[in-house]
Amino acid sequence: MTPSQAVPALGAGPLLLIAAGAVALLLVLILKFRIHAFLALVLVSLLTAFAAGIAPGKVVPTLLHGFGTTLGSVALLIGLGAMLGRLVEVSGGAQALADDLVALFGEKRAPLALGVASLIFGFPIFFDAGLVVMLPILFTVARRLGGSLLLYGIPVAGAFSVMHVFVPPHPGPVAATELIKADVGLVTLLGLAVALPTWYITSYLFGLWIGKRIHVEVPEILAGGPQVAHDPNPPRSSTVVLLMMLPLALIFLNTGLNALAAAGDVSRDGTWFQVARALGSTPVALLVAVFVGSYVLGARRGRSGAEVEKLLDGALGPICAITLITGAGGMFGEVLRESGIGLALSQALEGLGLHVFVAGYVIAAALRLAQGSATVALITAVGLVQPAIAAAGYNPVQLAASVLALAAGSVIASHVNDSGFWLVGRFYGMDVKTTLKTWTVLETLISVVGFALAGALFLAAS
């Protein structure tokens, strides 16, 4: 049962202090006392719920709702993506594609090649699913060329992040576009105009810089226990690309159908429409890809059903901790939301007297810092500034730029209350301190540069 949003039991000041104290306690438990992140997140979520005045009878339902909602959105993607990645890795397909990428772009441009591929994949597919699908290619290239994983991993993660933040059909910019009544086509075009240079500055160049200063070994997260010998006759890289594009094509089909329905060209009520949309949902698309991959990279290449089953089973063990920690991160964010921290912070920020374009960014950023979810921060901030934007009489470009400014605010400083922080940190094999130095900084750079570019578009249209 979804807990209803209650009126905050405490004022804005005490709630903000509790939220800050909860984050500080979590960092102390993990960094100083070396308590497992999953246990620390559950404990701090429980203590925060009681301290913030959530009704005792709602504390456990709130914890379970936050945990279950997060797992409902990411557990299938992580599990299916890990299975697909295991097939691609063991078949030798990841190595084949990595070899061809390096041959095409050159060793020095390998981070650029991986980043560009991730930008393309990131257009129709959500952040977490896209990152999981790219992991075997990323890890294989990093192992072959050497150096820190960050050199290659930051451009990849940053590519999926900027596409998820700024470009429809991802949920944040779509929701903001609808609420502000901006033109979705214009938001898409300007979103790309902001996302691409933002990626180059904040992800590619920052990745090259940080990769030389912090060394992160390539983790064995896709190894699935004892190593299995790669196929001596690996598939062609084109086979791997087509397999990876299969779920992306299905997801893009879903996106296209939604666009046609929104334009009134097709009916949402048709059975064929509903079936096609179900096939194009991200979990189903990945499921289809796993079955196809099991045949193309397994049975068709001489592996027995038992061997393929063992490979897929081995892919799940290493990602168990990642899945639980990600769910616990969602639990912590849910407690902060249910406690009323977002509402209290919104009320505290309403009287700042800033220009509405800047105020939207500041409010979205503050909400992101307080409760973790970028989508919640964006939608809440849009709800607060929408009346002022409507009264300002902005032209279409200014409306689109306002959406992008709000989106930029919502991505700033991903930290311990954001499930994405734990997802990236654990997949890349980083501890909390290293994740703060890399992923948190990356998301902050994306926010600042994205806001600056959105501001330039806004001023140019004025």
Side-chain angles (χ1 to χ4, degrees):
M1 181 177 67
T2 302
S4 58
Q5 180 66 48
V7 175
L10 302 174
L15 281 175
L16 293 176
L17 287 175
I18 289 170
V23 171
L25 175 61
L26 186 59
L27 291 174
V28 169
L29 290 175
I30 295 173
L31 297 177
K32 182 174 178 60
F33 294 102
R34 311 301 297 178
I35 293 178
H36 192 280
F38 175 68
L39 296 176
L41 281 163
V42 175
L43 175 61
V44 172
S45 298
L46 180 64
L47 295 176
T48 303
F50 281 114
I54 294 177
K58 293 182 64 178
V59 168
V60 173
T62 298
L63 299 181
L64 295 178
H65 178 253
F67 187 75
T69 299
T70 303
L71 288 187
S73 62
V74 304
L76 275 174
L77 307 187
I78 293 175
L80 293 170
M83 285 180 165
L84 183 61
R86 181 71 171 141
L87 289 168
V88 171
E89 182 193 35
V90 170
S91 69
Q95 185 68 57
L97 182 55
D99 291 343
D100 285 353
L101 279 173
V102 172
L104 181 63
F105 285 87
E107 292 188 2
K108 292 184 178 180
R109 294 188 179 89
L112 179 65
L114 290 170
V116 170
S118 299
L119 286 169
I120 295 171
F121 291 166
F123 185 80
I125 196 170
F126 288 1
F127 172 82
D128 39 16
L131 182 62
V132 171
V133 169
M134 278 296 294
L135 283 179
I137 313 303
L138 165 63
F139 290 173
T140 302
V141 171
R143 284 195 191 97
R144 172 180 170 175
L145 299 182
S148 174
L149 173 65
L150 298 176
L151 184 66
Y152 314 94
I154 291 296
V156 167
F160 286 113
S161 180
V162 297
M163 298 302 283
H164 191 81
V165 170
F166 294 115
V167 184
H170 296 284
V174 167
T177 298
E178 292 177 353
L179 289 170
I180 291 180
K181 308 300 181 187
D183 179 82
V184 67
L186 190 57
V187 171
T188 301
L189 290 174
L190 295 183
L192 287 171
V194 168
L196 297 180
T198 296
W199 170 80
Y200 185 82
I201 295 169
T202 67
S203 304
Y204 177 62
L205 294 182
F206 175 66
L208 297 181
W209 183 84
I210 199 69
K212 296 175 181 177
R213 286 158 178 80
I214 298 178
H215 184 78
V216 174
E217 292 288 344
V218 180
E220 297 295 333
I221 197 65
L222 298 179
Q227 288 294 295
V228 177
H230 286 183
D231 192 325
N233 181 30
R236 295 180 180 179
S237 59
S238 58
T239 300
V240 177
V241 170
L242 289 174
L243 179 61
M244 293 176 65
M245 290 301 293
L246 174 59
L248 304 182
L250 291 173
I251 293 167
F252 199 75
L253 170 66
N254 194 342
T255 303
L257 288 174
N258 284 336
L260 290 174
D265 295 331
V266 298
S267 172
R268 295 181 184 272
D269 299 326
T271 301
W272 72 269
F273 180 87
Q274 300 297 333
V275 170
R277 282 208 60 202
L279 291 175
S281 64
T282 304
V284 175
L286 282 172
L287 178 65
V288 171
V290 170
F291 276 114
V292 173
S294 297
Y295 173 72
V296 172
L297 302 180
R300 189 178 178 185
R301 306 188 68 78
R303 293 189 185 272
S304 67
E307 288 178 305
V308 173
E309 189 275 337
K310 186 176 181 180
L311 286 176
L312 297 180
D313 183 66
L316 296 179
I319 56 95
C320 178
I322 293 175
T323 305
L324 289 176
I325 291 170
T326 302
M331 175 193 294
F332 184 42
E334 177 69 18
V335 167
L336 295 177
R337 288 189 286 277
E338 179 66 18
S339 70
I341 180 65
L343 177 61
L345 188 58
S346 300
Q347 293 171 344
L349 291 172
E350 279 185 294
L352 289 178
L354 298 172
H355 187 283
V356 64
F357 185 84
V358 178
Y361 173 79
V362 171
I363 291 171
L367 290 169
R368 160 72 157 182
L369 286 166
Q371 53 76 49
S373 169
T375 301
V376 170
L378 177 56
I379 294 175
T380 304
V382 170
L384 289 170
V385 301
Q386 191 273 336
I389 290 176
Y394 289 154
N395 62 45
V397 173
Q398 290 174 314
L399 286 175
S402 297
V403 170
L404 299 177
L406 286 155
S410 74
V411 77
I412 198 169
S414 168
H415 64 98
V416 292
N417 61 1
D418 176 25
S419 59
F421 174 90
W422 300 102
L423 189 72
V424 173
R426 295 296 152 156
F427 264 134
Y428 281 14
M430 299 187 292
D431 58 24
V432 171
K433 184 182 293 186
T434 305
T435 310
L436 288 168
K437 290 179 179 179
T438 55
W439 172 249
T440 303
V441 172
L442 170 64
E443 292 286 84
T444 303
L445 291 172
I446 289 173
S447 174
V448 172
V449 174
F451 176 67
L453 293 175
L457 291 173
F458 184 88
L459 291 174
S462 299

